[in-house]
Amino acid sequence: EAQVTQNPRYLITVTGKKLTVTCSQNMNHEYMSWYRQDPGLGLRQIYYSMNVEVTDKGDVPEGYKVSRKEKRNFPLILESPSPNQTSLYFCASRGPGTKNTEAFFGQGTRLTVV
Amino acid sequence: GQSLEQPSEVTAVEGAIVQINCTYQTSGFYGLSWYQQHDGGAPTFLSYNALDGLEETGRFSSFLSRSDSYGYLLLQELQMKDSASYFCAVRDMLNAGKSTFGDGTTLTVKP
């Protein structure tokens, strides 16, 4: 089954304690991306990756890091989480080229920073 | 930069037809996509328009007018399960990796 898998689904952590949210896709997609979603708002792009070792900032990258060492994985790293990073996070992947418009999303990670 | 505007809420009754509008401002344009999201779950892809006109997929249709920077999602024969949030989204023509989503329209279907 084609899917994007995020872990953990829920996480409560304290300010300043480094954490990593993992994302893995089994569709051999080149493109992967991270979004955050806050109440009443749409998805805002944090970082994206066009291929292995190729990453770039989205609209809200501050406080986040990513890496793309292999095609299937695209972890999101919060080096020093703060309460304003409390949010619902989604990872997504998509096939290459302009004809591949459908993005596949993971089930989301609900992060609370206290 | 890119920005999209869509109504925050729409209410309709079961069996009716509802239209969710989306206007956009972009520096470049690949096309307009629509996604559905139930109660904070994973967004799921509904449709995509790259050219002007109507695209039909079952009960859902999507329309695009590039000259008006406008599109809409049309849902027919509404069912209770269609109650969800609907997002329009665009990709940046100059930077294919960047995507911008609207803030979403919450559709409530009443019996």
Side-chain angles (χ1 to χ4, degrees), chain A residues 67-87:
Chain A
S67 70
R68 189 88 182 275
K69 292 183 171 56
E70 48 191 341
K71 204 171 194 179
R72 64 181 292 121
N73 296 323
F74 189 43
L76 179 69
I77 303 155
L78 285 74
E79 294 270 3
S80 183
S82 61
N84 65 12
Q85 293 178 297
T86 293
S87 189

Side-chain angles (χ1 to χ4, degrees), chain A residues 14-34:
Chain A
V14 296
T15 299
K17 185 177 181 181
K18 181 179 178 180
L19 67 92
T20 299
V21 184
T22 63
C23 175
S24 180
Q25 50 93 6
N26 63 0
M27 295 166 279
N28 201 36
H29 284 166
E30 294 177 348
Y31 174 88
M32 298 184 75
S33 182
W34 276 103

Side-chain angles (χ1 to χ4, degrees), chain A residues 31 33 35 37 40-43 45 48 50 56-59 88 90 94 97-98 100-103 105-107 110, chain B residues 2 30 33 35 37 39-48 50 85 87 91 95-104:
Chain A
Y31 174 88
S33 182
Y35 298 87
Q37 185 177 30
L41 298 179
L43 293 98
Q45 193 175 38
Y48 62 91
M50 299 298 282
D56 210 343
K57 297 177 180 178
D59 292 323
L88 178 60
F90 288 102
R94 188 181 70 225
T98 59
N100 284 289
T101 56
E102 178 177 357
F105 284 83
Q107 291 302 306
R110 194 170 291 278
Chain B
Q2 302 175 102
Y30 261 144
S33 299
Y35 289 83
Q37 184 184 36
D39 291 332
T44 55
F45 175 81
L46 291 176
S47 69
Y48 171 75
S85 292
F87 297 89
R91 286 167 62 187
N95 188 343
K98 290 201 71 174
S99 293
T100 302
F101 283 73
D103 286 343

Side-chain angles (χ1 to χ4, degrees), chain B residues 8 11 22 30 33 35 40 46 64 81 88 95 104:
Chain B
S8 58
T11 302
C22 175
Y30 261 144
S33 299
Y35 289 83
L46 291 176
L64 177 66
K81 67 179 182 180
C88 54
N95 188 343

